[in-house]
Amino acid sequence: MRVVLAGTPQVAVPSLEALLASRHDVVGVVTRPDARAGRGRRARPSPVRALADERGLPVLQPVSPRELEFLDALARLRPDCVPVVAYGALVPRAALDVPRLGWVNLHFSVLPAWRGAAPVQHALLAGDDVTGATVFRLDEGMDTGPVLATMTERLRADDTSGAVLDRLATAGADLLVQVLDGLEDGALEAVPQPADGASRAPKLGPDDARVRWHEPAAAVDRRVRACTPSPGAWTTLEGRRLKLGPVRPHETAGLAPGEVRAEGADVLVGTATSAVRLGEVQPEGRRPMAAGDWWRGARLPARTRLGDDA
């Protein structure tokens, strides 16, 4: 069938690659407008647009999918179905009605759990043991459409949100192609989502990523991993931000929340329970470095506490 992929960030690229390698005919992509980033604030294409340009595919980049010009351009591509992976905008009914088989969304949770923009991050924050992916028919609600297929993925003790998204993006791409095969063959029927078990997963911001040292060590560990690599976990030291890579719970007790101390090669920080061991840190204006190297160079006084001025 003729498909137009709607997606924007890197996690959508495996799905575009899988579709290009499938029996389906990718006739274009829809992606968010180029965004300014990096030094010089130059406009840069999304990862999906970059691959589409490389493959010579038509690219639609509406500021809003409600634009009449976009709706006309999408109709001219004559898609049978529009698969969606992290497109980044709500799709109006006028656009949903263009393809005869509708829009189908690959979402990185087992719905109805964690509806929203950051399902993997919230699964890690909550300490879930299992996450997964769902392909469902897109409607005008927030991840509320009927389900076509699901898969599950066990979360590991050292998983970051970036690592989980990488795994789900690859496995989910295969699931998405299987769903398109089934839709074309008339072999799939969408099932309404369960009425119970729904939860919300709004996008995490910088304040969500600030480490709360008064939380238990397990919660500190989960927050840092959930916010790695984005939006990036952080604390403060003497009024300046200190970015943190993943930490690990440590058996040492007796440190006050936020109190930092070196023990051999380990740099430990107190929480509400036992300590956590720092991994990589990045002071403002400097490159990331091992916590031990940072500690030796910082020459901090005894009983220094992180986060007191946050």
Side-chain angles (χ1 to χ4, degrees), residues 178-254:
Q178 291 170 23
V179 165
L180 294 180
D181 292 348
L183 288 174
E184 184 175 46
D185 297 341
L188 277 181
E189 185 171 342
V191 178
Q193 294 184 26
D196 297 327
S199 50
R200 300 294 301 273
K203 183 178 180 179
L204 298 184
D207 189 59
D208 299 302
R210 179 175 60 82
V211 174
R212 282 77 160 158
W213 296 110
H214 59 273
E215 291 182 337
V220 170
D221 167 43
R222 292 199 304 267
R223 182 175 299 279
V224 175
R225 290 188 289 111
C227 295
T228 301
S230 178
W234 62 279
T235 185
T236 56
L237 174 63
E238 298 173 345
R240 307 188 74 178
R241 283 199 182 194
L242 182 69
K243 294 182 180 179
L244 302 177
V247 302
R248 295 294 298 164
H250 195 275
E251 66 274 12
T252 292

Side-chain angles (χ1 to χ4, degrees), residues 213 253-260 269-272 303-305:
W213 296 110
L255 290 174
E259 183 180 350
V260 57
V269 184
T271 72
R303 298 193 178 279
T304 292
R305 293 177 67 160

Side-chain angles (χ1 to χ4, degrees), residues 2-7 16 19-20 25-31 48 52 56-60 74 77 79 81-83:
R2 294 170 64 87
V3 299
V4 171
L5 178 108
L16 179 54
L19 289 168
L20 288 167
D25 184 13
V26 182
V27 296
V29 303
V30 182
T31 190
V48 165
L57 296 172
V59 176
L60 307 181
L74 181 62
L77 291 174
C81 186
V82 177

Side-chain angles (χ1 to χ4, degrees), residues 4-9 12 29-32 46-49 83-88:
V4 171
L5 178 108
T8 298
V29 303
V30 182
T31 190
R32 301 295 294 157
S46 72
V48 165
R49 181 189 164 179
V84 191
V85 187
Y87 168 51

Side-chain angles (χ1 to χ4, degrees), residues 70-82 92-103:
F70 162 69
L71 295 174
D72 290 342
L74 181 62
R76 285 196 297 272
L77 291 174
R78 296 181 292 109
D80 296 299
C81 186
V82 177
R93 171 53 57 189
L96 293 174
D97 289 341
V98 170
R100 65 181 178 87
L101 294 175
W103 295 49

